[in-house]
Amino acid sequence: RERRAVVDRRPAMGAAGVSGCGSHRGGRPGRRPGTQKGVEEEMTEFELVLGDLAFPEGPRWREGELWFSDMQGGEVVRLSPDGTRRTVVTLDEGECPSGLGFLPDGRLLVVAMHARQVLAVDADGSTTVHADLSEIATWHANDMLVDSVGRAYVGNFGDSSAPPDPITPATLALVQPDGTVTAAADQLDLPNGMVLLDDGRTLVVAE
């Protein structure tokens, strides 16, 4: 099947990064997300569903529950609709989980940012290295998208630079179900946030 990659090069509006696991790069200036110039903002009410999180990231919905990484907390969490919180896996001290996905056999995949690895998590919470990204990722690995057959696309920061230094382009890694790693696309400015369209034929990457 034909596979295409689409790169969104519109200016980013992300929040500033934090030390440790997050990027050191802040968002580019502009209006607040979700607003239009000249349009008065409406008040929105929010409901707190879970607190005491250090840096929630990479949400996925599976088996009727919300799964996400608490990056600075070093763990992957499951949250049920009734508010029950369960820790799926805790990574080694100093390591940060990021992107999540699932293999066809149901095993959870977790990006270990500093190690630049994709870990597979067994039912008992033990982990094994599913893929080593160090030949592709030139700095911390971050977001991941896993397709229906188990192929994982993983981004990285490119390098440790911070504004006003220019961004070092990064290479997007493609991890096959057997753990083989190749380059899917290059010259990307901090690829972070992906989605598949057109029945999996088009990969959209936010920079």
Side-chain angles (χ1 to χ4, degrees):
R1 298 171 65 185
E2 179 187 1
R3 303 186 66 82
R4 296 175 289 153
V6 176
V7 177
D8 184 350
R9 296 192 180 277
R10 293 174 294 179
M13 301 262 312
V18 297
S19 61
C21 302
S23 168
H24 298 290
R25 293 194 169 273
R28 296 184 177 93
R31 295 190 305 275
R32 291 176 57 188
T35 65
Q36 297 181 19
K37 187 176 182 180
V39 177
E40 184 177 353
E41 295 181 54
E42 296 181 359
M43 296 297 294
T44 302
E45 294 184 1
F46 297 94
E47 177 186 354
L48 178 66
V49 295
L50 184 64
D52 295 324
L53 299 172
F55 196 131
E57 174 81 342
R60 294 289 183 264
W61 186 260
R62 184 175 176 86
E63 298 175 348
E65 296 184 334
L66 180 67
W67 302 54
F68 61 91
S69 292
D70 190 6
M71 283 172 43
Q72 299 286 348
E75 62 181 358
V76 177
V77 175
R78 292 177 67 169
L79 180 66
S80 65
D82 66 4
T84 301
R85 179 196 193 281
R86 288 183 288 167
T87 297
V88 178
V89 63
T90 300
L91 301 191
D92 293 340
E93 184 176 356
E95 185 54 89
C96 301
S98 186
L100 304 179
F102 297 88
L103 290 169
D105 64 9
R107 283 182 298 158
L108 172 67
L109 295 182
V110 182
V111 171
M113 297 181 68
H114 297 162
R116 290 178 284 170
Q117 295 174 339
V118 177
L119 307 178
V121 183
D122 290 323
D124 62 0
S126 62
T127 63
T128 56
V129 177
H130 178 66
D132 184 347
L133 310 173
S134 60
E135 294 297 318
I136 298 291
T138 50
W139 195 240
H140 298 332
N142 55 352
D143 197 22
M144 175 173 65
L145 182 146
V146 182
D147 68 14
S148 61
V149 299
R151 289 174 295 220
Y153 298 87
V154 189
N156 74 90
F157 292 165
D159 68 1
S160 61
S161 65
D165 294 339
I167 292 175
T168 296
T171 297
L172 184 70
L174 169 60
V175 180
Q176 298 293 342
D178 65 358
T180 302
V181 182
T182 56
D186 58 14
Q187 297 299 306
L188 301 177
D189 293 343
L190 215 164
N192 184 29
M194 294 171 280
V195 66
L196 286 168
L197 304 176
D198 304 329
D199 272 342
R201 292 190 297 270
T202 302
L203 175 67
V204 180
V205 181
E207 295 185 272

